[in-house]
Amino acid sequence: MRLPNPARLPRWARSPLWVLITLGAYLPLALAGAPTVLKIDSVWLIGVAGAMALAFWLLRGHPVAAWYTAAALALVLPNTFEVLDDDPWQWPPLLGFTLIAAYANISARAPRRQAAWAWVIAPGLFWAYANADARAGWIVLLVAIPIVADVGRTLRRTRTALGRERELTEAEKARTAVLEERARIARDLHDVVAHHMSMVVVQAETAPYRLAGLSPEATADFAAISTTAREALNEVRGLLGVLRSEEISADLRPQPGCDDLPELIAGAVRAGADVEFTRTGEPRKPRPGVDVGAYRIVQESLANAARHAPGASARVTLAYTADALEITVVNGKGAQQAEPHSAGHGLVGMTERATVVGGELRAAPTPEGGFAVRARLPLEPSEK
């Protein structure tokens, strides 16, 4: 048997215990108590008791409706039926207590602008229909109830606000801890990379003086190593310097772009790579994200080619179409083929760079045994 979803049930059916209390306890007491105060026959008695039970049932989910139902009964009944006993008030006993409960309920749960009418009506009802000797006490009670309710409302709001503030504080602490840890890792990474790259620069630059009989080609190679290491060191400082300690400022130089690709290719050639660079179409200045992304995709592709297919030739094509910049980097099979290209951080990073500017990137082996990276970066942002 499939049980119904409680969220789809009517509101009254979601609280069966309250319905049971209303029908099984309150209604019989109302039927028994009303004739002791009001001269009422059995036909009207069922209607009056049912109306009182309705006001009681509304207390749980409808504080405003419960108050006005109870107040209407308190006004109508003494003026419709003969009052037999006015101690302590001219209503059935249960109606008086329901009226007080509804008054406290609307004072505590309803907005002040809705509860304000109850604060005016209730003292008037009790002044008119309560026993003369007890009026002053009822008025004091009716004044105290909204004050206590308002204090309780304020305390609940304060606790809620404090709980929310505590959650925000904990979230901020967690965020700060993450940022501090990232900054610490960045500082460590910067220091380690800077140390080793600095050693590479020093060894490359001092090699011609330390090693006798170097050929001009070897000297040029050491100079190229030194230049490449310096550029890598500067890029690492530019990327991580902003996260390092406050006394180290970030590198504010412009990011590289498509105009810097010839220099990148030349550096790869000086390092011994066989790279062919072709530019087609009418060159245009891409937007910054595309400009930097294109440079980094070519840079990472050449680095992957040198790592996985050393000695292989590579072709870099930069094609400007009507609405996009198309990048193709194809390398052949290396003479000493290393492990094949895999979906490591390099390819993931290139894919993210293409995706973030609304483009796409595909990387796959070629039939000849090499590897090709093809990216298409839109020159203008897409309208969504």
Side-chain angles (χ1 to χ4, degrees), residues 1 7 15 24 33 96 271 285 321 330 358:
M1 180 179 178
S15 53
K285 184 66 176 176
T321 65
V330 182

Side-chain angles (χ1 to χ4, degrees), residues 58-88:
L58 289 172
L59 285 174
R60 186 175 185 273
H62 308 274
V64 176
W67 158 253
Y68 282 107
T69 302
L73 288 173
L75 180 64
V76 169
L77 293 183
N79 294 289
T80 303
F81 302 102
E82 180 183 350
V83 178
L84 303 176
D85 183 7
D86 62 354
D87 186 23

Side-chain angles (χ1 to χ4, degrees), residues 178-247:
V178 170
L179 292 177
E180 289 177 352
E181 182 65 14
R182 289 176 60 186
R184 185 188 66 79
I185 293 173
R187 289 195 299 269
D188 293 345
L189 179 61
H190 181 281
D191 293 342
V192 171
V193 173
H195 171 74
H196 289 291
M197 294 303 294
S198 297
M199 293 299 297
V200 172
V201 171
V202 171
Q203 291 177 358
E205 289 187 345
T206 60
Y209 305 100
R210 294 184 291 102
L211 304 175
L214 288 178
S215 65
E217 292 80 6
T219 302
D221 285 344
F222 277 118
I225 293 173
S226 174
T227 300
T228 303
R230 282 184 180 277
E231 291 176 355
L233 184 59
N234 288 335
E235 287 202 17
V236 169
R237 283 174 175 162
L239 291 172
L240 301 180
V242 70
L243 296 177
R244 213 171 174 222
S245 53
E246 296 180 357
E247 67 272 9

Side-chain angles (χ1 to χ4, degrees), residues 116 175 228 251 261 269 317 362:
R175 178 177 174 274
T228 303
D251 191 349
L261 284 176
V269 171
T317 303
R362 290 177 289 112

